[in-house]
Amino acid sequence: MTGDERKDLVQKFAALFSLVVLIVAFSLTSDAFFSLGNAMTVSLQTTSIAFLGIGVTVVILTGGIDLSVGSVLALSGTVAGLLVKAGWPVYAGMGVGVLVGTLCGIINGLVVTRLKLAPFIATLGMMMIARGVALQLTGAAPVSQLGEAFGELGNGAFFRMLEKGANGLPHMIFPGIPYPVVLMVLMAIVVAFILRRLSIGRHVYAVGSNEEASRLAGVNVNGTKMFAYATSGFLAGVTGIILMSRLVTAQPNEGVMYELDAIAAAVIGGTSLMGGVGTISGTMIGAFVIGILRNGLNMNGVSSFIQQIIIGCVIIGTVYVDHLRNRR
Amino acid sequence: MNALSPVVEMNNIVKRFGGIHAVEDVSLNLYPGEVVGVLGHNGAGKSCLMKILSGAMAYDSGEIKIQGNAVEMSSPIDARHCGIETIYQTLALADHLNAPANLFLGRELKTRFGMLDDRKMEEETRKALRSLNPNFRNITEAVMNMSGGQRQVIAIARAIYFNARIVIMDEPTAALGPSETAMVAELIEKLREKGIGIFLISHDMDDVCELCDRIVVMKNGRKVGEHKVEDVNKDDILSLIIKGELPDNWAPRSRMSA
Ligand SMILES: Nc1ncnc2c1ncn2[C@@H]1O[C@H](COP(=O)(O)OP(=O)(O)O)[C@@H](O)[C@H]1O
Ligand SMILES: [Mg+2]
């Protein structure tokens, strides 16, 4: 094992260790925390952060940043909701929703590669534009009564086992594995595969590590960046339709500040904001750290204000670790 | 020096950055199996001229012919298609990647299913690096953790692995120790025997005099001298570099000693 892999592993173990500490601590302080049902709940709550975190990780690896994902998910979800409300079949409406997210990502990529604006500025602009369009389309009002089928993706589960209780009402034996959780695992595996086993993935790391060297080596630098932003937009679109499906309502105000959770998940998982360093597995750990922290604090009755303070401290702490790692 | 036609012809190349004349109307040929030394002060325009030939820098005007055919050298990929490989002065390595990933960057080896063939790339890299430096270890370490010499060896290996016809070396021995420098000299001889044309930028006058067939001196973007190496001595070269002209009453040294 080389020194670098070792360092990477140490970082990952540190994150994994803090995850275990959190689980133990919350299991001791709350009876309801350590149960299969709650495990599924946490996983479900973590899916949004994970989807967005995976996409943002790819962008950060190229040396960029994507601040628009929270707004893009709202736009994607509301477009899907409005289309279904207008009579489109659910799969078509959701498909267009994901497409809209991807398109937003492509626009981000074009602004970064063609207009040569800093990624921070480009995606900050998209953050406002996408949110504005979502609010404009819906008149800032939620779109509800979308029908049961619209809620299937967000609320359905594999292997859910119900039993007719004595009183005739169904009683849940096993909550099942929610569709979003399955999709999250699938996406993580696919993106990790692309990053590790395909040349486009290698180029993502190379561009983030040394853009000029990549260009001189004949890497299509702009194409690589386009791929990163499009991936992030696509995953934001997926997050949007899943979130709105869970609510069975298209909410133009959904996802505010989610981009920061996503970036925090990536950084906690060892992704360097300087680019060139990071893994999908790390980001998944980071997403669960945030998800479990939220869930556990909720179960312990910690107010949402205090939660914000704690999560803020965790973010600063982990970015500081990132800083230390890159200083040497 | 030989009757063959040139592999590289650069005619009236001009490159300016605003008011800075980085390369001013420079013409230069390179023949197969020939080593041409490019000399000059820092800022003389050597790297710019070489970057133009390797497609890494756009030029304002001029013409480049490779084996007699005029080519648009608008990207490093164009240069690669012409058989030009470059060792850049900055080495151009992606620091977070390891040696195989750097050596094959932009032209990764793939398995039948289109996936990266890391095992094959590592094997090939090991062979390539060991042929330059038998003691090369830690091939899978990120190159940021390697010594300057090791990094330079990786950059050199990348330039010769892909069977170039033309190799550009921009100060290839800057970070190397004596034994590795000797290895580069040996390598240049080997490449020359294979009929590969080489541009060598170096500040080491001994290296230049020993390895090159011809020297070209640049000053303030202009070519101020072009001579067979046997026609000039070190003082003549220094005079070209510093003053931009040969000493008074200079005559070709080869004829004088004959
Ligand atoms: N990218 C650039 N932008 C602006 N000026 C440059 C750039 N690259 C080189 N120059 C200028 O062009 C001139 C030639 O530089 P260079 O070719 O690097 O010199 P050398 O390699 O001979 O030391 C210098 O004056 C340098 O400052
Ligand atoms: Mg130079």
Side-chain angles (χ1 to χ4, degrees):
Chain A
M1 185 165 41
T2 67
D4 241 51
E5 281 164 7
R6 194 157 42 232
K7 207 176 298 159
D8 189 54
L9 223 66
V10 167
Q11 166 88 16
K12 219 175 270 173
F13 265 116
L16 209 54
F17 181 72
S18 50
L19 200 59
V20 172
V21 168
L22 281 178
I23 292 172
V24 171
F26 287 137
S27 302
L28 294 177
T29 53
S30 160
D31 292 336
F33 180 81
F34 199 82
S35 68
L36 194 59
N38 192 47
M40 283 306 151
T41 306
V42 171
S43 301
L44 191 60
Q45 286 169 348
T46 303
T47 53
S48 319
I49 306 174
F51 280 125
L52 299 176
I54 292 167
V56 164
T57 299
V58 179
V59 172
I60 295 176
L61 281 175
T62 66
I65 192 83
D66 191 346
L67 298 176
S68 69
V69 292
S71 299
V72 169
L73 80 83
L75 179 59
S76 300
T78 43
V79 167
L82 287 171
L83 289 176
V84 170
K85 187 87 179 173
W88 286 46
V90 169
Y91 69 87
M94 288 187 164
V96 172
V98 174
L99 228 54
V100 166
T102 313
L103 190 70
C104 290
I106 289 173
I107 293 172
N108 280 335
L110 286 174
V111 173
V112 169
T113 59
R114 307 288 150 187
L115 305 189
K116 310 231 176 281
L117 294 194
F120 185 95
I121 304 297
T123 58
L124 184 67
M126 177 56 76
M127 171 180 169
M128 311 223 170
I129 294 167
R131 178 74 60 192
V133 174
L135 289 167
Q136 182 65 32
L137 284 176
T138 54
V143 183
S144 53
Q145 286 160 353
L146 294 169
E148 210 168 290
F150 192 83
E152 183 64 21
L153 177 65
N155 298 295
F158 287 112
F159 312 121
R160 181 171 288 165
M161 282 187 278
L162 299 174
E163 185 187 59
K164 271 255 159 60
N167 53 3
L169 289 175
H171 165 75
M172 200 172 298
I173 305 170
F174 177 61
I177 307 169
Y179 292 149
V181 174
V182 176
L183 209 54
M184 167 180 75
V185 174
L186 209 68
M187 288 292 170
I189 290 172
V190 167
V191 176
F193 174 83
I194 291 172
L195 287 181
R196 291 204 82 90
R197 310 286 338 145
L198 300 185
S199 54
I200 180 74
R202 172 93 12 118
H203 295 171
V204 164
Y205 284 94
V207 168
S209 178
N210 187 339
E211 187 172 327
E212 176 65 4
S214 304
R215 185 180 76 85
L216 294 177
V219 170
N220 182 348
V221 172
N222 284 350
T224 305
K225 288 184 181 175
M226 290 298 299
F227 166 78
Y229 287 97
T231 302
S232 185
F234 168 81
L235 286 168
V238 170
T239 316
I241 59 166
I242 288 175
L243 267 177
M244 309 292 173
S245 169
R246 249 167 76 194
L247 304 166
V248 205
T249 307
Q251 267 281 9
N253 280 315
E254 189 64 34
V256 174
M257 302 247 279
Y258 275 30
E259 56 279 341
L260 300 185
D261 274 358
I263 294 167
V267 171
I268 290 171
T271 303
S272 160
L273 289 172
M274 312 293 287
V277 179
T279 56
I280 296 303
S281 51
T283 298
M284 293 298 287
I285 294 171
F288 271 93
V289 166
I290 296 177
I292 287 179
L293 207 54
R294 286 248 161 81
N295 174 276
L297 292 172
N298 268 333
M299 293 220 153
N300 280 291
V302 177
S303 85
S304 65
F305 307 143
I306 306 285
Q307 285 187 29
Q308 282 199 38
I309 295 170
I310 292 175
I311 292 176
C313 291
V314 169
I315 290 170
I316 288 178
T318 47
V319 175
Y320 180 63
V321 170
D322 178 54
H323 184 64
L324 283 184
R325 269 196 329 145
N326 283 300
R327 204 155 57 184
R328 41 170 158 175
Chain B
M1 67 152 277
N2 63 41
L4 297 165
S5 53
V7 273
V8 177
E9 293 168 69
M10 289 197 274
N11 296 320
N12 311 103
I13 304 290
V14 175
K15 174 69 187 179
R16 293 184 185 147
F17 295 102
I20 298 175
H21 297 202
V23 179
E24 194 61 26
D25 198 27
V26 173
S27 299
L28 195 53
N29 288 351
L30 179 70
Y31 291 84
E34 187 189 29
V35 182
V36 171
V38 182
L39 297 110
H41 271 310
N42 278 332
K46 310 179 297 287
S47 290
C48 286
L49 186 64
M50 292 300 122
K51 277 190 187 163
I52 287 167
L53 180 58
S54 56
M57 186 181 271
Y59 47 106
D60 297 326
S61 67
E63 179 194 47
I64 298 178
K65 285 188 184 172
I66 303 296
Q67 297 198 312
N69 303 314
V71 288
E72 276 304 319
M73 208 59 86
S74 52
S75 81
I77 296 176
D78 290 342
R80 182 184 295 172
H81 287 320
C82 294
I84 300 173
E85 294 287 337
T86 309
I87 303 162
Y88 293 97
Q89 190 170 5
T90 55
L91 303 186
L93 300 173
D95 277 339
H96 299 96
L97 303 187
N98 61 18
N102 268 291
L103 201 135
F104 289 97
L105 186 58
R107 40 191 157 179
E108 290 80 6
L109 300 181
K110 296 186 189 140
T111 64
R112 261 176 307 156
F113 310 105
M115 286 179 271
L116 293 174
D117 194 344
D118 278 321
R119 185 161 356 136
K120 184 84 189 295
M121 286 193 270
E122 197 178 317
E123 219 171 87
E124 291 294 306
T125 305
R126 185 161 283 129
K127 268 190 261 169
L129 295 181
R130 291 267 164 87
S131 77
L132 294 171
N133 176 353
N135 301 318
F136 210 114
R137 265 173 262 283
N138 313 333
I139 282 172
T140 54
E141 184 106 12
V143 302
M144 61 165 36
N145 299 326
M146 293 186 180
S147 71
Q150 282 182 308
R151 292 160 56 84
Q152 198 137 32
V153 167
I154 295 168
I156 295 170
R158 173 164 66 179
I160 58 172
Y161 178 83
F162 296 95
N163 296 321
R165 271 189 310 217
I166 300 143
V167 175
I168 301 168
M169 303 183 171
D170 197 346
E171 312 207 10
T173 57
L176 298 184
S179 67
E180 283 165 318
T181 303
M183 172 275 296
V184 172
E186 218 172 283
L187 172 71
I188 289 175
E189 281 307 323
K190 258 190 254 165
L191 295 176
R192 186 214 305 266
E193 276 161 31
K194 282 203 250 171
I196 292 166
I198 299 171
F199 280 119
L200 174 65
I201 300 181
S202 175
H203 286 296
D204 188 316
M205 207 67 78
D206 292 317
D207 276 359
V208 170
C209 290
E210 194 165 320
L211 296 169
C212 297
D213 302 301
R214 203 147 52 89
I215 58 118
V216 167
V217 180
M218 291 183 71
K219 186 171 161 63
N220 298 333
R222 294 188 174 277
K223 184 174 85 175
V224 293
E226 178 170 8
H227 300 277
K228 289 182 187 172
V229 79
E230 56 269 24
D231 285 347
V232 285
N233 63 24
K234 281 185 205 166
D235 291 335
D236 299 339
I237 299 175
L238 276 176
S239 169
L240 277 170
I241 293 173
I242 295 164
K243 291 197 292 184
E245 56 191 28
L246 287 160
D248 302 333
N249 65 43
W250 172 86
R253 306 281 167 183
S254 54
R255 243 168 285 164
M256 289 207 305
S257 58

